[in-house]
Amino acid sequence: MPGLEKCLANLALTQRHFEKLGRQGILDWCNEVMRESQSKYCPVDKGALRRSGRVQIMKNTLTEFHVRLAYTMNYAGYVHEIPMRHNVGSMKYLSTPFNLMSFYLVKKLEAEMKKAV
């Protein structure tokens, strides 16, 4: 059955292509969220906190894809969670842009998948 084998091979290629597009779309979205967080929401005193923002792929296997968005300064959690007045930026400086931009992730992935079809 050469036709069936070719069809299955094409389906496997298509699946890998969609997975690659999906993973890249998620990573691009995470980078956009981090840029938004750093430029508009992150409190700034000397800039160390803002510069510590990272997007890191934590796991990239055939079945799982995990990405971490984080600020690495040891005080980042306190500034993010504890209400205080900031001259520049605000508390929840990572979760706010993440939540505001979450609708865009689905739209971005849909557009990527449509282009691939």
Side-chain angles (χ1 to χ4, degrees), residues 11-114:
L11 283 173
L13 283 173
T14 302
Q15 180 182 357
R16 285 193 297 275
H17 183 63
F18 279 130
E19 288 172 356
K20 181 180 177 184
L21 286 174
R23 289 169 191 233
Q24 188 59 52
I26 290 169
L27 190 58
D28 291 347
W29 179 82
C30 289
N31 283 310
E32 289 175 36
V33 169
M34 183 56 73
R35 279 192 297 276
E36 185 82 359
S37 172
Q38 289 171 316
S39 66
K40 293 183 181 175
Y41 295 94
C42 185
V44 178
D45 181 18
K46 294 182 171 43
L49 179 61
R50 181 179 280 176
R51 287 189 302 273
S52 77
R54 300 285 183 270
V55 173
Q56 181 181 8
I57 297 173
M58 301 302 292
K59 191 170 192 177
N60 189 1
T61 67
L62 290 173
T63 58
E64 295 180 85
F65 186 65
H66 299 231
V67 181
R68 175 184 290 165
L69 288 81
Y71 284 85
T72 59
M73 295 304 292
N74 60 353
Y75 57 86
Y78 298 107
V79 177
H80 190 270
E81 297 300 323
I82 297 173
M84 61 180 91
R85 187 179 178 293
H86 301 286
N87 291 332
V88 175
S90 62
M91 67 178 285
K92 303 291 186 182
Y93 53 88
L94 185 53
S95 61
T96 298
F98 186 95
N99 291 331
L100 290 173
M101 296 174 71
S102 61
F103 78 94
Y104 176 61
L105 175 60
V106 174
K107 297 220 177 277
K108 181 178 186 55
L109 292 176
E110 284 176 351
E112 290 293 326
M113 300 302 159
K114 283 180 183 177

